[in-house]
Amino acid sequence: MNGRLIVFEGVEGCGKTSQIQLCQEWLQYLGISVVVTREPGGTALGLDLRRLLLKAENKTIFNTTELLLYAADRAQHVEEELKPNLEKGNIILCDRYTDSTIAYQGYGRGLDINLINVLNLIATSGLESDITLWLDVDIEVGLSRKRSSGDIADRIELEAIAFHRRVQQGYAQLQASQDKIVRIDASLNKEAVQRMIQTTLSDRLKAWGYV
Ligand code: Z5A
C-alpha cells in the first residue's frame, strides 16, 4: 500500500477535530491528496454503530458489548475506507484508531489489554498507523472545552472523572512504550498546536516522498 495512515488520539476535547481540519487544509495546500475519516462512524454501517455507542440513553451497554461494537466499527472501516485509500496512495487523517480502544476499554473500563490487542489485530488485519499524534491535554481542560462548545454530552463523556483519568493514564503509558506515538502539547492555542503538528509531519512527509 502506498498511502500513509496518520492517527489523532486523545481525551475528550483535546482538539482532534479542529487540528485534523487545519491539517487537511495544509496538506491540500501542499498538493497532497488527503482523506479525513474517524472512528467510530467512518462508514455508513459505522454511523449506525456510533449512534448506538454514544447515545446517552443507552445506559445498559455492557463493557464487552461496547468493546465488540468498537471492533465491528473498525473492521468495517479498515476494509471499506482505510485499505482502499491507502492503495490509492492517499494520506489518511483518522480521528481515533486502535489506541482509543486500549485507552478507553482497556485502561478506562478495565478490560484485558492482551485480549484487546488480539481483537485490534483481528479488526485491522494488522493495519497499523504510520504515526499517531497524541494530543495531550488535562482532562479538566478537555471536558470544559467540550461543555462550552454547547454539544450535548454523549454516553462516554458522561462517565465519572476517574474514568477519564484512567484513559489519560492509558495514553501516557502507550506513548511511553511506542516511538510511533508522538506527544503534542494540546493545552496551547489552536494555531500553536497546529504548528507543532506541521513540524512533526514535515519530516515524515519528506521521508515518505510526498514533498
Ligand atoms: N471511543 C472508545 O471508547 N473506544 C474506541 O475504540 C473509539 C472511541 C474509537 C467518540 O469519539 C467516543 O468514542 C469518545 C471515545 C470513544 N468518547 N467520547 N465522548 P469522538 O472522537 O467522536 O469524541 P470526542 O473525543 O469527544 O471528540 P470531539 O468532541 O470530536 O472533541 P475533539 O475532536 O477532541 O475536539 P474539537 O472538536 O476539535 O474541540 C472541542 C472544543 O474545544 C471546540 O469548541 C473547539 O473549538 C475547542 N478547542 C479545540 N482546540 C482548542 C484549543 N487548542 N484551545 C482552546 N479551545 C480549543
Side-chain angles (χ1 to χ4, degrees), residues 11-18 39-40 50 54 70 74 95-97 100-101 104-105 145-146 149 154 156-157 186 188-190 193:
V11 296
E12 274 71 17
C14 65
K16 295 175 284 89
T17 311
S18 310
E39 290 191 2
R50 181 182 175 92
L54 298 184
Y70 279 114
R74 179 159 306 129
D95 193 333
R96 299 192 179 281
Y97 195 51
S100 279
T101 318
Y104 282 82
Q105 280 64 53
R145 280 181 189 168
K146 284 219 59 183
S149 76
D154 63 43
I156 308 261
E157 196 183 328
L188 307 172
N189 65 44
K190 285 184 193 177
V193 176

PDB file of all heavy atoms in Angstrom, residues 11-18 39-40 50 54 70 74 95-97 100-101 104-105 145-146 149 154 156-157 186 188-190 193, ligand 1:
ATOM      1  N   VAL A  11      -7.901  12.523  24.820  1.00  0.00           N
ATOM      2  CA  VAL A  11      -9.140  12.544  25.605  1.00  0.00           C
ATOM      3  C   VAL A  11     -10.141  13.533  24.991  1.00  0.00           C
ATOM      4  O   VAL A  11      -9.787  14.307  24.088  1.00  0.00           O
ATOM      5  CB  VAL A  11      -8.856  12.929  27.088  1.00  0.00           C
ATOM      6  CG1 VAL A  11      -7.983  11.878  27.764  1.00  0.00           C
ATOM      7  CG2 VAL A  11      -8.242  14.322  27.192  1.00  0.00           C
ATOM      8  N   GLU A  12     -11.350  13.500  25.482  1.00  0.00           N
ATOM      9  CA  GLU A  12     -12.406  14.399  25.009  1.00  0.00           C
ATOM     10  C   GLU A  12     -11.932  15.852  25.002  1.00  0.00           C
ATOM     11  O   GLU A  12     -11.315  16.303  25.953  1.00  0.00           O
ATOM     12  CB  GLU A  12     -13.624  14.339  25.941  1.00  0.00           C
ATOM     13  CG  GLU A  12     -14.602  13.257  25.631  1.00  0.00           C
ATOM     14  CD  GLU A  12     -14.069  11.872  25.959  1.00  0.00           C
ATOM     15  OE1 GLU A  12     -13.090  11.748  26.716  1.00  0.00           O
ATOM     16  OE2 GLU A  12     -14.608  10.931  25.429  1.00  0.00           O
ATOM     17  N   GLY A  13     -12.262  16.538  23.910  1.00  0.00           N
ATOM     18  CA  GLY A  13     -11.981  17.973  23.845  1.00  0.00           C
ATOM     19  C   GLY A  13     -10.511  18.320  23.695  1.00  0.00           C
ATOM     20  O   GLY A  13     -10.126  19.479  23.853  1.00  0.00           O
ATOM     21  N   CYS A  14      -9.688  17.332  23.326  1.00  0.00           N
ATOM     22  CA  CYS A  14      -8.252  17.628  23.173  1.00  0.00           C
ATOM     23  C   CYS A  14      -7.991  18.437  21.900  1.00  0.00           C
ATOM     24  O   CYS A  14      -6.912  19.005  21.731  1.00  0.00           O
ATOM     25  CB  CYS A  14      -7.418  16.353  23.190  1.00  0.00           C
ATOM     26  SG  CYS A  14      -7.758  15.263  21.793  1.00  0.00           S
ATOM     27  N   GLY A  15      -8.970  18.459  20.997  1.00  0.00           N
ATOM     28  CA  GLY A  15      -8.846  19.294  19.796  1.00  0.00           C
ATOM     29  C   GLY A  15      -8.581  18.513  18.516  1.00  0.00           C
ATOM     30  O   GLY A  15      -8.181  19.096  17.505  1.00  0.00           O
ATOM     31  N   LYS A  16      -8.855  17.200  18.506  1.00  0.00           N
ATOM     32  CA  LYS A  16      -8.584  16.387  17.319  1.00  0.00           C
ATOM     33  C   LYS A  16      -9.297  16.925  16.080  1.00  0.00           C
ATOM     34  O   LYS A  16      -8.675  17.105  15.034  1.00  0.00           O
ATOM     35  CB  LYS A  16      -9.044  14.935  17.540  1.00  0.00           C
ATOM     36  CG  LYS A  16      -8.283  14.189  18.615  1.00  0.00           C
ATOM     37  CD  LYS A  16      -8.882  12.800  18.850  1.00  0.00           C
ATOM     38  CE  LYS A  16     -10.169  12.839  19.630  1.00  0.00           C
ATOM     39  NZ  LYS A  16     -11.388  12.965  18.890  1.00  0.00           N
ATOM     40  N   THR A  17     -10.594  17.164  16.227  1.00  0.00           N
ATOM     41  CA  THR A  17     -11.382  17.583  15.065  1.00  0.00           C
ATOM     42  C   THR A  17     -10.841  18.889  14.483  1.00  0.00           C
ATOM     43  O   THR A  17     -10.653  19.008  13.267  1.00  0.00           O
ATOM     44  CB  THR A  17     -12.867  17.758  15.467  1.00  0.00           C
ATOM     45  OG1 THR A  17     -13.265  16.597  16.190  1.00  0.00           O
ATOM     46  CG2 THR A  17     -13.763  17.932  14.271  1.00  0.00           C
ATOM     47  N   SER A  18     -10.547  19.846  15.356  1.00  0.00           N
ATOM     48  CA  SER A  18     -10.020  21.146  14.899  1.00  0.00           C
ATOM     49  C   SER A  18      -8.675  20.958  14.208  1.00  0.00           C
ATOM     50  O   SER A  18      -8.424  21.524  13.138  1.00  0.00           O
ATOM     51  CB  SER A  18      -9.814  22.101  16.084  1.00  0.00           C
ATOM     52  OG  SER A  18     -10.958  22.161  16.888  1.00  0.00           O
ATOM     53  N   GLU A  39     -13.215   7.172  13.754  1.00  0.00           N
ATOM     54  CA  GLU A  39     -13.804   6.001  14.415  1.00  0.00           C
ATOM     55  C   GLU A  39     -14.368   6.444  15.754  1.00  0.00           C
ATOM     56  O   GLU A  39     -13.697   7.215  16.456  1.00  0.00           O
ATOM     57  CB  GLU A  39     -12.747   4.921  14.641  1.00  0.00           C
ATOM     58  CG  GLU A  39     -12.296   4.275  13.351  1.00  0.00           C
ATOM     59  CD  GLU A  39     -11.449   3.033  13.578  1.00  0.00           C
ATOM     60  OE1 GLU A  39     -11.226   2.639  14.733  1.00  0.00           O
ATOM     61  OE2 GLU A  39     -11.027   2.450  12.590  1.00  0.00           O
ATOM     62  N   PRO A  40     -15.540   5.992  16.134  1.00  0.00           N
ATOM     63  CA  PRO A  40     -16.444   5.228  15.299  1.00  0.00           C
ATOM     64  C   PRO A  40     -17.151   6.132  14.298  1.00  0.00           C
ATOM     65  O   PRO A  40     -17.251   7.334  14.520  1.00  0.00           O
ATOM     66  CB  PRO A  40     -17.431   4.651  16.316  1.00  0.00           C
ATOM     67  CG  PRO A  40     -17.477   5.672  17.407  1.00  0.00           C
ATOM     68  CD  PRO A  40     -16.102   6.239  17.484  1.00  0.00           C
ATOM     69  N   ARG A  50     -22.014   4.109  15.727  1.00  0.00           N
ATOM     70  CA  ARG A  50     -21.647   5.294  16.508  1.00  0.00           C
ATOM     71  C   ARG A  50     -22.848   5.817  17.308  1.00  0.00           C
ATOM     72  O   ARG A  50     -22.741   6.141  18.478  1.00  0.00           O
ATOM     73  CB  ARG A  50     -21.115   6.388  15.571  1.00  0.00           C
ATOM     74  CG  ARG A  50     -20.684   7.658  16.300  1.00  0.00           C
ATOM     75  CD  ARG A  50     -20.195   8.746  15.341  1.00  0.00           C
ATOM     76  NE  ARG A  50     -19.911   9.951  16.102  1.00  0.00           N
ATOM     77  CZ  ARG A  50     -18.720  10.258  16.608  1.00  0.00           C
ATOM     78  NH1 ARG A  50     -17.700   9.477  16.413  1.00  0.00           N
ATOM     79  NH2 ARG A  50     -18.564  11.362  17.321  1.00  0.00           N
ATOM     80  N   LEU A  54     -22.826   6.017  21.365  1.00  0.00           N
ATOM     81  CA  LEU A  54     -22.690   7.313  22.049  1.00  0.00           C
ATOM     82  C   LEU A  54     -23.992   7.880  22.610  1.00  0.00           C
ATOM     83  O   LEU A  54     -23.972   8.858  23.366  1.00  0.00           O
ATOM     84  CB  LEU A  54     -22.029   8.332  21.107  1.00  0.00           C
ATOM     85  CG  LEU A  54     -20.610   7.947  20.672  1.00  0.00           C
ATOM     86  CD1 LEU A  54     -19.979   9.036  19.824  1.00  0.00           C
ATOM     87  CD2 LEU A  54     -19.711   7.641  21.870  1.00  0.00           C
ATOM     88  N   TYR A  70     -17.110  -1.388  19.065  1.00  0.00           N
ATOM     89  CA  TYR A  70     -15.996  -0.578  18.532  1.00  0.00           C
ATOM     90  C   TYR A  70     -15.164  -1.411  17.559  1.00  0.00           C
ATOM     91  O   TYR A  70     -14.705  -0.905  16.524  1.00  0.00           O
ATOM     92  CB  TYR A  70     -15.117  -0.027  19.660  1.00  0.00           C
ATOM     93  CG  TYR A  70     -15.688   1.213  20.315  1.00  0.00           C
ATOM     94  CD1 TYR A  70     -16.102   1.214  21.645  1.00  0.00           C
ATOM     95  CD2 TYR A  70     -15.816   2.405  19.590  1.00  0.00           C
ATOM     96  CE1 TYR A  70     -16.633   2.349  22.237  1.00  0.00           C
ATOM     97  CE2 TYR A  70     -16.347   3.551  20.177  1.00  0.00           C
ATOM     98  CZ  TYR A  70     -16.751   3.517  21.498  1.00  0.00           C
ATOM     99  OH  TYR A  70     -17.280   4.652  22.069  1.00  0.00           O
ATOM    100  N   ARG A  74     -14.520  -0.825  13.530  1.00  0.00           N
ATOM    101  CA  ARG A  74     -13.146  -0.752  12.985  1.00  0.00           C
ATOM    102  C   ARG A  74     -12.956  -1.734  11.824  1.00  0.00           C
ATOM    103  O   ARG A  74     -12.352  -1.385  10.814  1.00  0.00           O
ATOM    104  CB  ARG A  74     -12.141  -1.036  14.113  1.00  0.00           C
ATOM    105  CG  ARG A  74     -10.686  -1.002  13.670  1.00  0.00           C
ATOM    106  CD  ARG A  74      -9.760  -0.774  14.843  1.00  0.00           C
ATOM    107  NE  ARG A  74     -10.151   0.423  15.563  1.00  0.00           N
ATOM    108  CZ  ARG A  74     -10.348   0.481  16.881  1.00  0.00           C
ATOM    109  NH1 ARG A  74     -10.133  -0.578  17.643  1.00  0.00           N
ATOM    110  NH2 ARG A  74     -10.744   1.612  17.449  1.00  0.00           N
ATOM    111  N   ASP A  95      -9.410  10.233  12.867  1.00  0.00           N
ATOM    112  CA  ASP A  95      -9.755  10.659  14.224  1.00  0.00           C
ATOM    113  C   ASP A  95     -10.043   9.398  15.050  1.00  0.00           C
ATOM    114  O   ASP A  95     -11.103   8.812  14.907  1.00  0.00           O
ATOM    115  CB  ASP A  95     -11.005  11.555  14.112  1.00  0.00           C
ATOM    116  CG  ASP A  95     -11.298  12.318  15.384  1.00  0.00           C
ATOM    117  OD1 ASP A  95     -10.916  11.844  16.469  1.00  0.00           O
ATOM    118  OD2 ASP A  95     -11.937  13.391  15.287  1.00  0.00           O
ATOM    119  N   ARG A  96      -9.053   8.968  15.813  1.00  0.00           N
ATOM    120  CA  ARG A  96      -9.091   7.769  16.668  1.00  0.00           C
ATOM    121  C   ARG A  96      -8.889   6.474  15.873  1.00  0.00           C
ATOM    122  O   ARG A  96      -9.347   6.341  14.747  1.00  0.00           O
ATOM    123  CB  ARG A  96     -10.398   7.642  17.472  1.00  0.00           C
ATOM    124  CG  ARG A  96     -10.656   8.806  18.427  1.00  0.00           C
ATOM    125  CD  ARG A  96     -11.783   8.480  19.396  1.00  0.00           C
ATOM    126  NE  ARG A  96     -12.021   9.581  20.323  1.00  0.00           N
ATOM    127  CZ  ARG A  96     -11.276   9.835  21.391  1.00  0.00           C
ATOM    128  NH1 ARG A  96     -10.257   9.066  21.685  1.00  0.00           N
ATOM    129  NH2 ARG A  96     -11.553  10.859  22.185  1.00  0.00           N
ATOM    130  N   TYR A  97      -8.207   5.528  16.556  1.00  0.00           N
ATOM    131  CA  TYR A  97      -7.986   4.188  15.962  1.00  0.00           C
ATOM    132  C   TYR A  97      -7.741   3.216  17.119  1.00  0.00           C
ATOM    133  O   TYR A  97      -8.331   3.409  18.207  1.00  0.00           O
ATOM    134  CB  TYR A  97      -6.800   4.280  14.968  1.00  0.00           C
ATOM    135  CG  TYR A  97      -6.653   3.116  14.008  1.00  0.00           C
ATOM    136  CD1 TYR A  97      -7.708   2.647  13.246  1.00  0.00           C
ATOM    137  CD2 TYR A  97      -5.406   2.496  13.838  1.00  0.00           C
ATOM    138  CE1 TYR A  97      -7.544   1.586  12.351  1.00  0.00           C
ATOM    139  CE2 TYR A  97      -5.232   1.445  12.934  1.00  0.00           C
ATOM    140  CZ  TYR A  97      -6.309   0.995  12.201  1.00  0.00           C
ATOM    141  OH  TYR A  97      -6.135  -0.051  11.316  1.00  0.00           O
ATOM    142  N   SER A 100      -7.382   4.121  20.908  1.00  0.00           N
ATOM    143  CA  SER A 100      -8.573   4.549  21.663  1.00  0.00           C
ATOM    144  C   SER A 100      -9.169   3.366  22.418  1.00  0.00           C
ATOM    145  O   SER A 100      -9.631   3.509  23.558  1.00  0.00           O
ATOM    146  CB  SER A 100      -9.651   5.117  20.722  1.00  0.00           C
ATOM    147  OG  SER A 100      -9.367   6.442  20.380  1.00  0.00           O
ATOM    148  N   THR A 101      -9.172   2.199  21.772  1.00  0.00           N
ATOM    149  CA  THR A 101      -9.766   1.026  22.434  1.00  0.00           C
ATOM    150  C   THR A 101      -8.909   0.600  23.632  1.00  0.00           C
ATOM    151  O   THR A 101      -9.437   0.201  24.675  1.00  0.00           O
ATOM    152  CB  THR A 101      -9.915  -0.140  21.424  1.00  0.00           C
ATOM    153  OG1 THR A 101     -10.392   0.396  20.199  1.00  0.00           O
ATOM    154  CG2 THR A 101     -10.887  -1.173  21.931  1.00  0.00           C
ATOM    155  N   TYR A 104      -9.587   3.528  26.300  1.00  0.00           N
ATOM    156  CA  TYR A 104     -10.953   3.630  26.870  1.00  0.00           C
ATOM    157  C   TYR A 104     -11.463   2.293  27.429  1.00  0.00           C
ATOM    158  O   TYR A 104     -11.931   2.220  28.559  1.00  0.00           O
ATOM    159  CB  TYR A 104     -11.945   4.167  25.819  1.00  0.00           C
ATOM    160  CG  TYR A 104     -11.849   5.664  25.637  1.00  0.00           C
ATOM    161  CD1 TYR A 104     -10.875   6.219  24.811  1.00  0.00           C
ATOM    162  CD2 TYR A 104     -12.693   6.543  26.302  1.00  0.00           C
ATOM    163  CE1 TYR A 104     -10.756   7.585  24.646  1.00  0.00           C
ATOM    164  CE2 TYR A 104     -12.587   7.919  26.144  1.00  0.00           C
ATOM    165  CZ  TYR A 104     -11.620   8.430  25.319  1.00  0.00           C
ATOM    166  OH  TYR A 104     -11.501   9.793  25.172  1.00  0.00           O
ATOM    167  N   GLN A 105     -11.374   1.236  26.583  1.00  0.00           N
ATOM    168  CA  GLN A 105     -11.930  -0.044  27.068  1.00  0.00           C
ATOM    169  C   GLN A 105     -10.910  -0.780  27.946  1.00  0.00           C
ATOM    170  O   GLN A 105     -11.294  -1.483  28.869  1.00  0.00           O
ATOM    171  CB  GLN A 105     -12.341  -0.919  25.866  1.00  0.00           C
ATOM    172  CG  GLN A 105     -13.685  -0.546  25.241  1.00  0.00           C
ATOM    173  CD  GLN A 105     -13.727   0.829  24.615  1.00  0.00           C
ATOM    174  OE1 GLN A 105     -12.890   1.176  23.788  1.00  0.00           O
ATOM    175  NE2 GLN A 105     -14.687   1.652  25.031  1.00  0.00           N
ATOM    176  N   ARG A 145     -13.703  22.451  27.641  1.00  0.00           N
ATOM    177  CA  ARG A 145     -13.813  22.920  26.243  1.00  0.00           C
ATOM    178  C   ARG A 145     -15.065  22.337  25.606  1.00  0.00           C
ATOM    179  O   ARG A 145     -15.802  23.020  24.902  1.00  0.00           O
ATOM    180  CB  ARG A 145     -12.606  22.442  25.429  1.00  0.00           C
ATOM    181  CG  ARG A 145     -11.351  23.259  25.612  1.00  0.00           C
ATOM    182  CD  ARG A 145     -10.280  22.650  24.709  1.00  0.00           C
ATOM    183  NE  ARG A 145      -8.971  23.201  24.938  1.00  0.00           N
ATOM    184  CZ  ARG A 145      -7.851  22.668  24.434  1.00  0.00           C
ATOM    185  NH1 ARG A 145      -7.917  21.584  23.700  1.00  0.00           N
ATOM    186  NH2 ARG A 145      -6.687  23.227  24.681  1.00  0.00           N
ATOM    187  N   LYS A 146     -15.288  21.038  25.839  1.00  0.00           N
ATOM    188  CA  LYS A 146     -16.448  20.393  25.216  1.00  0.00           C
ATOM    189  C   LYS A 146     -17.744  20.968  25.749  1.00  0.00           C
ATOM    190  O   LYS A 146     -18.691  21.191  25.010  1.00  0.00           O
ATOM    191  CB  LYS A 146     -16.403  18.881  25.455  1.00  0.00           C
ATOM    192  CG  LYS A 146     -15.395  18.230  24.559  1.00  0.00           C
ATOM    193  CD  LYS A 146     -15.815  16.922  24.009  1.00  0.00           C
ATOM    194  CE  LYS A 146     -17.079  16.936  23.194  1.00  0.00           C
ATOM    195  NZ  LYS A 146     -17.433  15.599  22.763  1.00  0.00           N
ATOM    196  N   SER A 149     -18.510  24.173  24.247  1.00  0.00           N
ATOM    197  CA  SER A 149     -18.804  24.128  22.804  1.00  0.00           C
ATOM    198  C   SER A 149     -20.313  24.021  22.562  1.00  0.00           C
ATOM    199  O   SER A 149     -20.778  24.228  21.450  1.00  0.00           O
ATOM    200  CB  SER A 149     -18.100  22.933  22.146  1.00  0.00           C
ATOM    201  OG  SER A 149     -18.778  21.732  22.459  1.00  0.00           O
ATOM    202  N   ASP A 154     -22.189  13.067  25.326  1.00  0.00           N
ATOM    203  CA  ASP A 154     -22.524  11.705  24.927  1.00  0.00           C
ATOM    204  C   ASP A 154     -22.278  10.733  26.082  1.00  0.00           C
ATOM    205  O   ASP A 154     -21.828  11.107  27.154  1.00  0.00           O
ATOM    206  CB  ASP A 154     -21.787  11.307  23.639  1.00  0.00           C
ATOM    207  CG  ASP A 154     -20.281  11.304  23.817  1.00  0.00           C
ATOM    208  OD1 ASP A 154     -19.814  10.812  24.856  1.00  0.00           O
ATOM    209  OD2 ASP A 154     -19.573  11.791  22.916  1.00  0.00           O
ATOM    210  N   ILE A 156     -20.113   8.360  26.698  1.00  0.00           N
ATOM    211  CA  ILE A 156     -18.759   8.172  27.249  1.00  0.00           C
ATOM    212  C   ILE A 156     -18.320   9.429  28.010  1.00  0.00           C
ATOM    213  O   ILE A 156     -17.735   9.348  29.091  1.00  0.00           O
ATOM    214  CB  ILE A 156     -17.762   7.850  26.114  1.00  0.00           C
ATOM    215  CG1 ILE A 156     -18.276   6.698  25.266  1.00  0.00           C
ATOM    216  CG2 ILE A 156     -16.359   7.633  26.658  1.00  0.00           C
ATOM    217  CD1 ILE A 156     -17.749   5.338  25.505  1.00  0.00           C
ATOM    218  N   GLU A 157     -18.666  10.559  27.447  1.00  0.00           N
ATOM    219  CA  GLU A 157     -18.278  11.828  28.090  1.00  0.00           C
ATOM    220  C   GLU A 157     -18.898  11.954  29.486  1.00  0.00           C
ATOM    221  O   GLU A 157     -18.330  12.570  30.378  1.00  0.00           O
ATOM    222  CB  GLU A 157     -18.773  12.967  27.187  1.00  0.00           C
ATOM    223  CG  GLU A 157     -18.159  14.305  27.469  1.00  0.00           C
ATOM    224  CD  GLU A 157     -18.781  15.356  26.553  1.00  0.00           C
ATOM    225  OE1 GLU A 157     -19.165  15.032  25.415  1.00  0.00           O
ATOM    226  OE2 GLU A 157     -18.891  16.503  27.006  1.00  0.00           O
ATOM    227  N   ALA A 186      -1.326  19.840  23.703  1.00  0.00           N
ATOM    228  CA  ALA A 186      -2.590  20.362  23.171  1.00  0.00           C
ATOM    229  C   ALA A 186      -3.235  21.375  24.110  1.00  0.00           C
ATOM    230  O   ALA A 186      -4.393  21.753  23.913  1.00  0.00           O
ATOM    231  CB  ALA A 186      -3.545  19.206  22.890  1.00  0.00           C
ATOM    232  N   LEU A 188      -2.032  24.360  24.409  1.00  0.00           N
ATOM    233  CA  LEU A 188      -1.781  25.674  23.792  1.00  0.00           C
ATOM    234  C   LEU A 188      -2.941  26.057  22.879  1.00  0.00           C
ATOM    235  O   LEU A 188      -3.857  25.258  22.665  1.00  0.00           O
ATOM    236  CB  LEU A 188      -0.471  25.614  23.007  1.00  0.00           C
ATOM    237  CG  LEU A 188       0.743  25.115  23.810  1.00  0.00           C
ATOM    238  CD1 LEU A 188       1.936  24.899  22.915  1.00  0.00           C
ATOM    239  CD2 LEU A 188       1.069  26.113  24.936  1.00  0.00           C
ATOM    240  N   ASN A 189      -2.860  27.273  22.305  1.00  0.00           N
ATOM    241  CA  ASN A 189      -3.964  27.654  21.415  1.00  0.00           C
ATOM    242  C   ASN A 189      -3.893  26.848  20.103  1.00  0.00           C
ATOM    243  O   ASN A 189      -2.886  26.218  19.800  1.00  0.00           O
ATOM    244  CB  ASN A 189      -3.985  29.171  21.169  1.00  0.00           C
ATOM    245  CG  ASN A 189      -2.752  29.639  20.410  1.00  0.00           C
ATOM    246  OD1 ASN A 189      -2.339  29.022  19.442  1.00  0.00           O
ATOM    247  ND2 ASN A 189      -2.149  30.717  20.879  1.00  0.00           N
ATOM    248  N   LYS A 190      -4.986  26.882  19.349  1.00  0.00           N
ATOM    249  CA  LYS A 190      -5.107  26.014  18.167  1.00  0.00           C
ATOM    250  C   LYS A 190      -3.959  26.214  17.177  1.00  0.00           C
ATOM    251  O   LYS A 190      -3.443  25.258  16.606  1.00  0.00           O
ATOM    252  CB  LYS A 190      -6.431  26.303  17.436  1.00  0.00           C
ATOM    253  CG  LYS A 190      -7.648  25.737  18.128  1.00  0.00           C
ATOM    254  CD  LYS A 190      -8.897  25.980  17.286  1.00  0.00           C
ATOM    255  CE  LYS A 190     -10.141  25.706  18.086  1.00  0.00           C
ATOM    256  NZ  LYS A 190     -11.384  25.981  17.390  1.00  0.00           N
ATOM    257  N   VAL A 193      -0.714  24.636  18.433  1.00  0.00           N
ATOM    258  CA  VAL A 193      -0.792  23.169  18.348  1.00  0.00           C
ATOM    259  C   VAL A 193      -0.575  22.739  16.897  1.00  0.00           C
ATOM    260  O   VAL A 193       0.183  21.813  16.595  1.00  0.00           O
ATOM    261  CB  VAL A 193      -2.157  22.651  18.886  1.00  0.00           C
ATOM    262  CG1 VAL A 193      -2.286  21.146  18.708  1.00  0.00           C
ATOM    263  CG2 VAL A 193      -2.329  23.023  20.358  1.00  0.00           C
TER     264      VAL A 193
HETATM  265  N1  Z5A B   1     -14.128   5.530  21.825  1.00  0.00           N
HETATM  266  C1  Z5A B   1     -13.890   4.403  22.603  1.00  0.00           C
HETATM  267  O1  Z5A B   1     -14.291   4.355  23.773  1.00  0.00           O
HETATM  268  N2  Z5A B   1     -13.221   3.349  22.060  1.00  0.00           N
HETATM  269  C2  Z5A B   1     -12.787   3.347  20.769  1.00  0.00           C
HETATM  270  O2  Z5A B   1     -12.190   2.349  20.326  1.00  0.00           O
HETATM  271  C3  Z5A B   1     -13.029   4.517  19.984  1.00  0.00           C
HETATM  272  C4  Z5A B   1     -13.704   5.585  20.546  1.00  0.00           C
HETATM  273  C5  Z5A B   1     -12.578   4.547  18.557  1.00  0.00           C
HETATM  274  C6  Z5A B   1     -16.268   9.218  20.337  1.00  0.00           C
HETATM  275  O3  Z5A B   1     -15.116   9.810  19.989  1.00  0.00           O
HETATM  276  C7  Z5A B   1     -16.142   8.498  21.660  1.00  0.00           C
HETATM  277  O4  Z5A B   1     -15.827   7.109  21.430  1.00  0.00           O
HETATM  278  C8  Z5A B   1     -15.014   9.021  22.515  1.00  0.00           C
HETATM  279  C9  Z5A B   1     -14.086   7.848  22.760  1.00  0.00           C
HETATM  280  C10 Z5A B   1     -14.896   6.654  22.405  1.00  0.00           C
HETATM  281  N3  Z5A B   1     -15.547   9.384  23.769  1.00  0.00           N
HETATM  282  N4  Z5A B   1     -16.328  10.281  23.983  1.00  0.00           N
HETATM  283  N5  Z5A B   1     -17.061  11.074  24.272  1.00  0.00           N
HETATM  284  P1  Z5A B   1     -15.053  11.282  19.364  1.00  0.00           P
HETATM  285  O5  Z5A B   1     -13.625  11.434  18.998  1.00  0.00           O
HETATM  286  O6  Z5A B   1     -16.048  11.436  18.299  1.00  0.00           O
HETATM  287  O7  Z5A B   1     -15.493  12.250  20.558  1.00  0.00           O
HETATM  288  P2  Z5A B   1     -14.586  13.169  21.381  1.00  0.00           P
HETATM  289  O8  Z5A B   1     -13.343  12.577  21.882  1.00  0.00           O
HETATM  290  O9  Z5A B   1     -15.493  13.633  22.408  1.00  0.00           O
HETATM  291  O10 Z5A B   1     -14.063  14.238  20.338  1.00  0.00           O
HETATM  292  P3  Z5A B   1     -14.654  15.588  19.937  1.00  0.00           P
HETATM  293  O11 Z5A B   1     -15.896  16.004  20.590  1.00  0.00           O
HETATM  294  O12 Z5A B   1     -14.771  15.484  18.462  1.00  0.00           O
HETATM  295  O13 Z5A B   1     -13.528  16.538  20.501  1.00  0.00           O
HETATM  296  P4  Z5A B   1     -12.130  16.853  19.814  1.00  0.00           P
HETATM  297  O14 Z5A B   1     -12.190  16.448  18.389  1.00  0.00           O
HETATM  298  O15 Z5A B   1     -11.021  16.317  20.569  1.00  0.00           O
HETATM  299  O16 Z5A B   1     -12.035  18.421  19.941  1.00  0.00           O
HETATM  300  P5  Z5A B   1     -12.596  19.593  18.958  1.00  0.00           P
HETATM  301  O17 Z5A B   1     -13.979  19.242  18.462  1.00  0.00           O
HETATM  302  O18 Z5A B   1     -11.581  19.988  17.994  1.00  0.00           O
HETATM  303  O19 Z5A B   1     -12.691  20.728  20.052  1.00  0.00           O
HETATM  304  C11 Z5A B   1     -13.654  20.707  21.097  1.00  0.00           C
HETATM  305  C12 Z5A B   1     -13.912  22.174  21.518  1.00  0.00           C
HETATM  306  O20 Z5A B   1     -12.694  22.744  22.004  1.00  0.00           O
HETATM  307  C13 Z5A B   1     -14.359  23.072  20.350  1.00  0.00           C
HETATM  308  O21 Z5A B   1     -15.251  24.029  20.833  1.00  0.00           O
HETATM  309  C14 Z5A B   1     -13.050  23.730  19.898  1.00  0.00           C
HETATM  310  O22 Z5A B   1     -13.248  24.968  19.275  1.00  0.00           O
HETATM  311  C15 Z5A B   1     -12.308  23.858  21.215  1.00  0.00           C
HETATM  312  N6  Z5A B   1     -10.849  23.766  21.061  1.00  0.00           N
HETATM  313  C16 Z5A B   1     -10.166  22.889  20.295  1.00  0.00           C
HETATM  314  N7  Z5A B   1      -8.836  23.100  20.403  1.00  0.00           N
HETATM  315  C17 Z5A B   1      -8.684  24.128  21.267  1.00  0.00           C
HETATM  316  C18 Z5A B   1      -7.524  24.798  21.789  1.00  0.00           C
HETATM  317  N8  Z5A B   1      -6.281  24.446  21.438  1.00  0.00           N
HETATM  318  N9  Z5A B   1      -7.731  25.794  22.665  1.00  0.00           N
HETATM  319  C19 Z5A B   1      -8.993  26.153  23.047  1.00  0.00           C
HETATM  320  N10 Z5A B   1     -10.131  25.563  22.578  1.00  0.00           N
HETATM  321  C20 Z5A B   1      -9.973  24.549  21.700  1.00  0.00           C
END
